[in-house]
Amino acid sequence: MFDLKWIRDHPAKFDAALARRGLSARAEEILNLDRRWRDSRTGLQELQRRRNTASKEIGQAIQSGDSAKAAALKAEVAGLKDRLPQLESEVQGLERAIEAVLESLPNRPLAEVPDGVGEADNRLERQWGKPRSFDFEPRQHFELGAVLGSMDFEAAAKLSGSRFAVLTGGVARLHRALAQFMLDLHTREHGYLEVNSPVLVREEPLYGSGQLPKFAEDLFRTTADYWLIPTAEVTLTNLPAGSILDEAVLPQRYAAHTLCFRSEAGAAGKDTRGMLRQHQFEKVELVSIAHPDRSEEEHRRMTVCAETVLQRLDLTYRVMLLCTGDMGFGARKTYDLEVWLPGQRSYREISSCSNCGEFQALRMKTRMRPAEGRGLRPVHSLNGSGVAVGRALIAVMENYQQADGSITIPEVLRPYLHGEEMLRPHA
């Protein structure tokens, strides 16, 4: 969402930001609606004032015995009462029209975000590690899962259809260990507060985080009008929704391990084999509610926290600064972490860390009270995967595979697996 006053003051900058996102100018349309809304609201307020004044004058006319004046005033008030609902409806309709436009538009990118239309235009920021070399042809994760006998897509299809997986035995234990390791790292070393939050939510949190109304088709909805979260960003970001936070309590940092659900409506034909793109998956999500003057510092910190997961697992990765055309709807700047998958011979996204600025806070009505000075300011919100558990499982399996299909367990995960060092076929 956008601050309407800012658009009034900076229409050219607003349109320039939309152009960087590949969208046409909208400032004139928005400001025309805004002028009509303000004119209608002024007219409504004037009618309301006149109604109140005339009502008082009726009593005065009656007291003075001027029945003719009282009758005329009563007729005027009756006419005003007939006109007020129409004008109130007009004001409300214009408010909804302005909101409908504003809520459909993506966040403004920061100046340092590269312009572009897709992932080919993203900018490499840094790289960590070197891809492992193998003296055999490395398998993809689903091939390894078949060798291990612990990853069953046919059984999942019988239960739920495509884009689901059943994990058993050692692979299931490894998946669980990864989530526990990430939570411990972020809460014990990085200072995030662990949260166990719902996966079923009402519309308001999805609207506040920018998922609704634009991305309704990407979500799952129950018959009881609950929505399944696509990420714990939805719940964690909305924890302070509607609040006024003192500057002293910022930043607030949250971490949660949850199930996530996505319909993958726009992903037909993409990554149909294996676990890369699932309807149900797990993530350890990081969210920060930050001081508006320090959110870029918090963004860099969050990205490093996510990187630490991959470094501790000794997984080769690179950090990409996303271009304007590849950045998410609510983000003003995003770093993607892409991990090397030897089975695919390519880097694949395993985490996105985004600074949303005030975009979500304006939707959620979450503000900050400065320690000095007057006035309230919208907080800034940030979110990132710390990291996607299923994709981390894929990366570990492919990077730590042996020629016979066994998987060496990274040292940092062994304490979570009672010292187990190797996953062997049918473990």
Side-chain angles (χ1 to χ4, degrees), residues 180-194 416:
Q180 291 176 309
F181 158 67
M182 294 175 203
L183 273 179
D184 284 349
L185 174 64
H186 295 313
T187 57
R188 295 177 182 177
E189 297 187 33
H190 297 155
Y192 287 86
L193 175 67
E194 184 171 350
Y416 298 93

Side-chain angles (χ1 to χ4, degrees), residues 76-190:
E76 181 185 358
V77 169
L80 291 173
K81 287 182 177 179
D82 288 339
R83 291 170 58 194
L84 280 171
Q86 180 181 354
L87 202 50
E88 288 172 347
S89 178
E90 182 178 317
V91 169
Q92 293 170 0
L94 287 167
E95 285 178 347
R96 287 194 294 269
I98 293 169
E99 288 178 0
V101 175
L102 293 180
E103 69 189 14
S104 71
L105 298 175
N107 203 350
R108 294 182 294 119
L110 291 179
E112 62 267 30
V113 173
D115 291 333
V117 296
E119 62 179 85
D121 300 311
N122 296 339
R123 188 171 74 209
L124 176 64
E125 295 291 289
R126 58 186 174 273
Q127 186 166 322
W128 190 89
K130 294 182 179 180
R132 284 181 170 83
S133 59
F134 295 86
D135 56 7
F136 58 90
E137 186 70 19
R139 298 178 174 95
Q140 295 195 56
H141 69 281
F142 50 85
E143 297 169 320
L144 292 164
V147 173
L148 292 168
S150 297
M151 188 177 286
D152 195 333
F153 298 99
E154 291 184 4
K158 291 178 182 178
L159 296 171
S160 305
S162 61
R163 296 194 187 275
F164 291 91
V166 170
L167 306 181
T168 58
V171 172
R173 295 196 301 274
L174 181 58
H175 185 269
R176 170 166 49 86
L178 282 162
Q180 291 176 309
F181 158 67
M182 294 175 203
L183 273 179
D184 284 349
L185 174 64
H186 295 313
T187 57
R188 295 177 182 177
E189 297 187 33
H190 297 155

Side-chain angles (χ1 to χ4, degrees), residues 190 192 250-254 287-291 294-305 355 380-382:
H190 297 155
Y192 287 86
L250 299 177
Q252 294 185 344
R253 298 178 177 127
Y254 304 114
V287 162
S288 293
I289 307 298
H291 189 291
R294 294 190 281 275
S295 65
E296 273 302 285
E297 175 187 340
E298 186 70 13
H299 191 199
R300 290 189 291 272
R301 182 189 187 278
M302 176 181 284
T303 304
V304 169
C305 289
N355 184 352
H380 282 194
S381 61
L382 305 94

Side-chain angles (χ1 to χ4, degrees), residues 80-375:
L80 291 173
K81 287 182 177 179
D82 288 339
R83 291 170 58 194
L84 280 171
Q86 180 181 354
L87 202 50
E88 288 172 347
S89 178
E90 182 178 317
V91 169
Q92 293 170 0
L94 287 167
E95 285 178 347
R96 287 194 294 269
I98 293 169
E99 288 178 0
V101 175
L102 293 180
E103 69 189 14
S104 71
L105 298 175
N107 203 350
R108 294 182 294 119
L110 291 179
E112 62 267 30
V113 173
D115 291 333
V117 296
E119 62 179 85
D121 300 311
N122 296 339
R123 188 171 74 209
L124 176 64
E125 295 291 289
R126 58 186 174 273
Q127 186 166 322
W128 190 89
K130 294 182 179 180
R132 284 181 170 83
S133 59
F134 295 86
D135 56 7
F136 58 90
E137 186 70 19
R139 298 178 174 95
Q140 295 195 56
H141 69 281
F142 50 85
E143 297 169 320
L144 292 164
V147 173
L148 292 168
S150 297
M151 188 177 286
D152 195 333
F153 298 99
E154 291 184 4
K158 291 178 182 178
L159 296 171
S160 305
S162 61
R163 296 194 187 275
F164 291 91
V166 170
L167 306 181
T168 58
V171 172
R173 295 196 301 274
L174 181 58
H175 185 269
R176 170 166 49 86
L178 282 162
Q180 291 176 309
F181 158 67
M182 294 175 203
L183 273 179
D184 284 349
L185 174 64
H186 295 313
T187 57
R188 295 177 182 177
E189 297 187 33
H190 297 155
Y192 287 86
L193 175 67
E194 184 171 350
V195 178
N196 189 320
S197 61
V199 297
L200 288 170
V201 296
R202 299 181 300 177
E203 286 188 0
E204 290 85 354
L206 288 160
Y207 176 83
S209 59
Q211 308 290 331
L212 289 178
K214 187 173 178 63
F215 300 105
E217 69 170 5
D218 294 327
L219 306 174
F220 288 108
R221 188 177 189 177
T222 74
T223 55
D225 280 339
Y226 286 106
W227 298 74
L228 291 165
I229 61 168
T231 163
E233 171 199 345
V234 172
T235 49
L236 300 182
T237 303
N238 278 274
L239 286 177
S243 301
I244 297 174
L245 305 174
D246 288 332
E247 180 180 346
V249 306
L250 299 177
Q252 294 185 344
R253 298 178 177 127
Y254 304 114
H257 168 223
T258 66
L259 287 166
C260 306
F261 304 89
R262 293 182 184 169
S263 71
E264 298 293 348
K270 295 180 182 178
D271 300 316
T272 55
R273 299 187 70 185
M275 287 182 60
L276 271 167
R277 201 177 294 272
Q278 299 267 281
H279 288 313
Q280 174 186 309
F281 57 98
E282 296 178 35
K283 278 203 302 177
V284 172
E285 186 74 3
L286 306 177
V287 162
S288 293
I289 307 298
H291 189 291
D293 295 337
R294 294 190 281 275
S295 65
E296 273 302 285
E297 175 187 340
E298 186 70 13
H299 191 199
R300 290 189 291 272
R301 182 189 187 278
M302 176 181 284
T303 304
V304 169
C305 289
E307 287 182 71
T308 304
V309 174
L310 303 181
Q311 291 174 9
R312 297 282 177 89
L313 292 169
D314 197 19
L315 295 172
T316 298
Y317 69 91
R318 64 186 186 185
V319 180
M320 307 295 293
L321 176 60
L322 299 195
C323 71
T324 53
D326 201 31
M327 198 164 56
F329 179 77
R332 67 176 193 168
K333 183 178 179 180
T334 298
Y335 293 112
D336 264 12
L337 307 187
E338 297 180 347
V339 68
W340 174 254
L341 299 183
Q344 289 200 6
R345 298 182 182 84
S346 65
Y347 285 94
R348 298 300 301 263
E349 177 203 336
I350 195 168
S351 172
S352 282
C353 296
S354 297
N355 184 352
C356 296
E358 64 181 25
F359 188 82
Q360 293 175 323
L362 290 171
R363 298 170 79 107
M364 298 186 301
K365 297 179 174 57
T366 308
R367 295 169 291 172
M368 178 204 77
R369 181 183 291 109
E372 298 180 0
R374 302 179 63 183

